[in-house]
């Protein structure tokens, strides 16, 4: 027997309609590319998104066409998102930090018809224009007065493009499973692969993000997403915030400690989200200036593991709740978030922090398990670690154009490529990427755990651990350290600092110091490059053994 409820397709255009109807005057505040702070509302975004859809239709864009953006987090970028998606087309976010060859590969593979770009990125596209024969034009996200000189051909001024339209546009009444968004994984190995989101997956993901145990946004919130819209959908915040009418504060191009602090303070931000490197800059700024965070209620840290000292600094020194989150482009991206469970509120802070440094729990719509190499499920005891596998309605079942073949097992599980534990409360902790795990004497050593402790040393800025060949143990850990500017620190100091904090046999066989650790376009430590740099490195323990 069928239920007798309405069939109401889950489309992202419903989200912006809702924001317009019930939160029309709620603000979106942007630090603009042109410089000043610009204020707009959901009603304005709703109107201008429909103008974008009209203008694109005039340019010949229709259902199923791919239109790209290369923009910072700002209100215009939101208008373009909703405009493209509301037309039934696909919004492809390009990450300007990718290598030029990768960008042109991605834009060609996706068959981008137009690229909307902030003027900051004109040089990035000028450098690859010749490799993009199918791109019909470049829309500069500014007004006539701020149009820069450029070598690009077929340039359109955004405000002039949408200016003549009246906004009288009915969103495309597409099936909820229609594609609406596209984001490529950075492809540390092989070509980048496209993750193709649907209207339905984005709506369900937005609802999962707004789950009270996840980001739990409400209309009273003022949310600052530092996480970029050009990578993994700004963690779904630009869908989730309008769904509840939360104020949005968009940082544009400036993510240094002072600029972020200024927005947190003047816009009375209550919730914010970014990768650890951004929070490191903010914490340095706060320490140096003695400023506080009186309005901020919670900070979400994800994308890379949040070190313990960072969680402690926010919780102890600034009274801000930390939610450690984990996810992937393939998961829209939220996979887990570490809010406390009932009964834990009375725990001593130290014990709460033990929970908060883990990557958190799966919200409803994410199924999660860990397995051994043979695919057998492992216990949820917080000790056994194995391959982290996930299932859910906002998780990829295939990559764009079938790239990479079948990515699910017979039961529909997607292997995240991460190694993790799950404890009896349901909290997941990442120990490593499967390809970065260090295998020593048949046992696994977690590089992430050692790195997170090492960066707690007051003279250390960043640390990475890689496995180095060892004739007896297969691999032993090498700790690579970037000292803080102006500081000198010795191998012995670092090893003494680790003592007692990790199992003795996890202790790195050596510590080396370098000026900079290479990062991927999404800000992650590039272990592949580090392994190449240290390919011929011989551990002193090997020499000693001979
Ligand atoms: P990329 O395109 O760089 O792969 P993703 O955002 O999709 O970008 O990367 C997802 C991966 O990032 C995860 O599989 C995991 O290894 C890592 N990651 C994300 N969040 C965390 C976290 N909180 N702690 C540790 N690793 C994380």
């Amino acid at each position: 027997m069928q239920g007798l409820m309405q069939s109401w397709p889950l489309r992202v255009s419903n989200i912006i309609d809702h924001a317009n109807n019930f939160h029309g005057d709620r603000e979106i505040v942007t630090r603009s590319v042109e410089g000043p702070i610009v204020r707009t509302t959901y009603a304005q975004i709703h109107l201008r998104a429909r103008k974008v859809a009209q203008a694109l239709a005039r340019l010949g864009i229709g259902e199923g066409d791919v239109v790209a953006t290369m923009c910072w987090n700002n209100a215009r970028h939101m208008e373009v998102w909703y405009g493209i998606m509301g037309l039934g087309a696909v919004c492809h976010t390009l990450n300007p930090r990718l290598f030029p060859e990768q960008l042109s590969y991605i834009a060609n593979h996706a068959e981008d018809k137009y690229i909307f770009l902030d003027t900051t990125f004109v040089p990035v596209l000028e450098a690859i224009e010749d490799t993009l024969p199918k791109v019909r034009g470049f829309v500069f996200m500014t007004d006539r007065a701020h149009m820069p000189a450029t070598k690009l051909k077929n340039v359109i001024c955004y405000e002039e493009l949408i200016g003549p339209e009246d906004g009288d546009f009915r969103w495309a009444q597409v099936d909820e499973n229609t594609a609406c968004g596209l984001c490529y994984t950075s492809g540390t190995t092989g070509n980048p692969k496209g993750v193709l989101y649907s209207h339905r997956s984005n709506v369900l993901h937005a609802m999962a993000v707004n789950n009270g145990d996840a980001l739990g946004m409400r209309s009273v919130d003022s949310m600052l997403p530092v996480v970029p819209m050009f990578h993994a959908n700004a963690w779904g915040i630009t869908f989730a915030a309008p769904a509840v009418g939360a104020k949005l504060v968009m940082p544009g191009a400036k993510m240094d400690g002072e600029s972020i602090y200024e927005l947190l303070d003047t816009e009375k931000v209550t919730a914010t989200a970014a990768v650890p490197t951004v929070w490191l800059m903010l914490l340095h700024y706060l320490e140096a200036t003695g400023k506080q965070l009186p309005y901020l209620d919670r900070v979400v840290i994800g994308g890379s593991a949040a070190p313990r000292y960072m969680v402690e600094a926010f919780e102890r020194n600034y009274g801000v709740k930390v939610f450690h989150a984990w996810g992937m482009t393939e998961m829209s991206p939220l996979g887990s978030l570490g809010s406390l469970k009932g009964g834990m509120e009375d725990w001593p802070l130290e014990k709460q922090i033990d929970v908060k440094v883990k990557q958190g729990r799966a919200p409803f719509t994410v199924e999660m398990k860990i397995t051994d190499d043979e695919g057998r499920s492992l216990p949820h005891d917080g000790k056994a670690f194995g391959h982290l596998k996930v299932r859910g309605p906002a998780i990829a079942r295939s990559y764009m154009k079938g790239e990479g073949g079948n990515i699910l097992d017979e039961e529909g599980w997607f292997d995240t490529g991460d190694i993790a534990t799950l404890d009896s409360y349901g909290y997941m902790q990442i120990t490593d990427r499967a390809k970065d795990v260090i295998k020593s004497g048949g046992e696994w050593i977690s590089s992430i755990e050692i790195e997170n402790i090492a960066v707690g040393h007051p003279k250390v800025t960043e640390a990475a651990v890689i496995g180095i060949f060892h004739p007896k143990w297969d691999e032993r850990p090498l700790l690579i350290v970037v000292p803080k500017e102006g500081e000198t620190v010795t191998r012995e100091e670092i090893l003494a600092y680790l003592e007692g904090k990790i199992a003795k046999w996890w202790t790195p066989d050596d510590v080396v110091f370098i000026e900079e650790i290479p990062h991927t376009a999404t800000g992650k430590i590039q272990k592949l490059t580090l392994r190449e740099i240290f390919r011929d490195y011989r551990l002193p323990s090997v020499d000693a053994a001979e």
Side-chain angles (χ1 to χ4, degrees):
M1 191 189 290
Q2 290 268 301
L4 292 174
M5 307 311 284
Q6 296 181 8
S7 166
W8 191 81
L10 302 177
R11 287 193 284 255
V12 297
S13 20
N14 295 135
I15 294 179
I16 202 69
D17 281 349
H18 176 83
N20 176 56
N21 291 339
F22 298 102
H23 307 280
D25 57 357
R26 199 67 169 130
E27 273 186 324
I28 294 88
V29 182
T30 297
R31 188 189 293 285
S32 67
V33 171
E34 294 87 353
I37 301 288
V38 176
R39 289 170 189 279
T40 181
T41 61
Y42 282 123
Q44 277 298 313
I45 291 209
H46 184 249
L47 173 67
R48 285 163 60 90
R50 283 175 295 150
K51 291 185 177 194
V52 170
Q54 284 177 309
L56 282 171
R58 181 162 42 86
L59 290 174
I61 297 297
E63 281 180 28
D65 285 330
V66 181
V67 177
T69 62
M70 191 186 278
C71 305
W72 301 108
N73 289 8
N74 56 48
R76 283 190 181 121
H77 197 181
M78 265 185 91
E79 295 162 8
V80 172
W81 268 33
Y82 281 101
I84 297 170
M85 298 185 200
L87 179 63
V90 178
C91 176
H92 175 200
T93 47
L94 287 167
N95 181 345
R97 297 185 184 130
L98 291 172
F99 292 119
E101 309 80 62
Q102 282 183 324
L103 276 173
S104 71
Y105 169 85
I106 288 173
N108 282 313
H109 190 264
E111 301 178 42
D112 295 342
K113 299 264 185 318
Y114 283 90
I115 300 181
F116 286 68
L117 61 139
D118 275 332
T119 51
T120 328
F121 304 123
V122 170
V124 178
L125 285 159
E126 281 177 342
I128 58 168
E129 185 187 20
D130 291 348
T131 67
L132 305 174
K134 290 197 187 130
V135 173
R136 296 181 197 159
F138 299 90
V139 183
F140 284 20
M141 300 287 279
T142 190
D143 55 16
R144 176 53 56 189
H146 293 90
M147 287 290 282
T150 177
K151 291 193 299 227
L152 287 171
K153 293 180 272 304
N154 303 321
V155 168
I156 302 170
C157 165
Y158 178 69
E159 291 297 340
E160 288 179 357
L161 175 70
I162 68 165
E165 306 296 343
D166 60 8
D168 185 11
F169 182 84
R170 183 164 184 254
W171 300 127
Q173 304 297 297
V174 291
D175 179 86
E176 63 179 15
N177 287 303
T178 305
C180 72
L182 175 63
C183 179
Y184 280 70
T185 64
S186 49
T188 29
T189 50
N191 280 327
K193 297 184 189 68
V195 180
L196 194 57
Y197 309 103
S198 66
H199 282 268
R200 174 186 155 85
S201 71
N202 277 344
V203 170
L204 290 173
H205 181 264
M207 291 166 79
V209 165
N210 275 338
N211 178 331
D213 260 2
L215 264 75
M217 270 183 285
R218 300 191 299 147
S219 64
V220 292
D221 275 312
S222 168
M223 162 53 94
L224 168 63
V226 188
V227 288
M229 292 168 74
F230 61 68
H231 181 62
N233 299 319
W235 298 352
I237 292 167
T238 32
F239 296 118
V244 293
K247 171 177 166 181
L248 269 175
V249 183
M250 304 292 230
K254 290 198 169 169
M255 286 160 227
D256 60 283
E258 184 173 3
S259 304
I260 294 298
Y261 173 80
E262 192 191 26
L263 290 178
L264 291 174
D265 192 53
T266 54
E267 300 305 325
K268 298 191 169 51
V269 169
T270 56
T272 179
V275 295
T277 39
V278 167
W279 298 133
L280 185 66
M281 290 190 284
L282 178 71
L283 288 173
H284 281 165
Y285 176 77
L286 294 173
E287 268 166 43
T289 57
K291 292 188 168 148
Q292 287 290 319
L293 298 168
Y295 308 109
L296 194 61
D297 174 60
R298 55 204 191 277
V299 54
V300 184
I301 310 179
S304 300
R308 189 179 183 99
Y309 80 88
M310 188 172 278
V311 180
E312 284 184 342
F314 276 115
E315 294 265 347
R316 284 190 205 282
N317 306 348
Y318 302 101
V320 174
K321 293 198 250 347
V322 171
F323 294 153
H324 189 184
W326 163 87
M328 312 176 72
T329 306
E330 287 89 336
M331 299 181 74
S332 297
L334 186 71
S336 64
L337 190 131
S339 52
L340 293 180
K341 286 180 105 169
M344 293 179 172
E345 61 277 9
D346 300 328
W347 287 11
L349 186 58
E350 192 65 20
K351 200 169 158 196
Q352 289 182 345
I353 289 175
D354 289 344
V355 174
K356 289 185 173 225
V357 293
K358 297 192 172 192
Q359 274 77 0
R361 294 179 284 124
F364 176 60
T365 64
V366 175
E367 277 187 87
M368 192 179 268
K369 69 172 180 180
I370 47 171
T371 74
D372 63 15
D373 288 343
E374 277 70 49
R376 286 180 298 242
S377 281
L378 292 169
H380 296 190
D381 60 5
K383 293 191 185 76
F385 50 88
H387 304 277
L388 179 62
K389 297 181 180 166
V390 290
R391 250 182 354 194
I395 299 173
R397 66 178 152 91
S398 178
Y399 291 110
M400 180 87 169
K401 298 184 176 171
E403 204 72 41
N406 187 11
I407 59 170
L408 305 184
D409 68 15
E410 313 80 66
E411 292 173 342
W413 292 93
F414 173 73
D415 188 337
T416 62
D418 286 325
I419 303 294
T421 60
L422 274 166
D423 68 21
S424 56
Y425 295 102
Y427 289 86
M428 182 273 287
Q429 185 161 29
I430 302 273
T431 53
D432 248 314
R433 286 272 230 205
K435 55 186 189 303
D436 297 334
V437 139
I438 299 166
K439 296 189 186 79
S440 175
E443 300 279 350
W444 287 1
I445 296 176
S446 164
S447 62
I448 292 187
E449 196 163 332
I450 306 175
E451 287 160 7
N452 278 347
I453 295 170
V455 290
H457 190 286
K459 291 181 182 171
V460 172
T461 290
E462 199 169 20
V465 177
I466 56 170
I468 295 280
F469 170 74
H470 192 288
K472 181 167 174 202
W473 304 110
D474 277 343
E475 280 184 332
R476 289 294 303 157
L478 170 69
L479 172 58
I480 302 159
V481 166
V482 181
K484 272 199 186 143
E485 223 177 297
E487 296 281 6
T488 41
V489 54
T490 64
R491 174 183 189 274
E492 285 64 36
E493 277 177 79
I494 301 282
L495 291 178
Y497 182 76
L498 294 178
E499 210 176 314
K501 299 189 178 82
I502 50 171
K504 226 176 170 50
W505 67 276
W506 280 28
T507 307
D509 280 31
D510 203 6
V511 184
V512 291
F513 299 92
I514 61 175
E515 270 176 27
E516 206 184 332
I517 283 177
H519 289 100
T520 67
T522 54
K524 298 185 171 77
I525 294 177
Q526 225 161 22
K527 296 254 167 117
L528 207 66
T529 315
L530 281 178
R531 280 194 287 267
E532 263 160 38
I533 297 174
F534 290 95
R535 199 179 43 206
D536 299 326
Y537 186 81
R538 263 173 81 87
L539 290 165
S541 52
V542 176
D543 290 333
E546 281 174 359

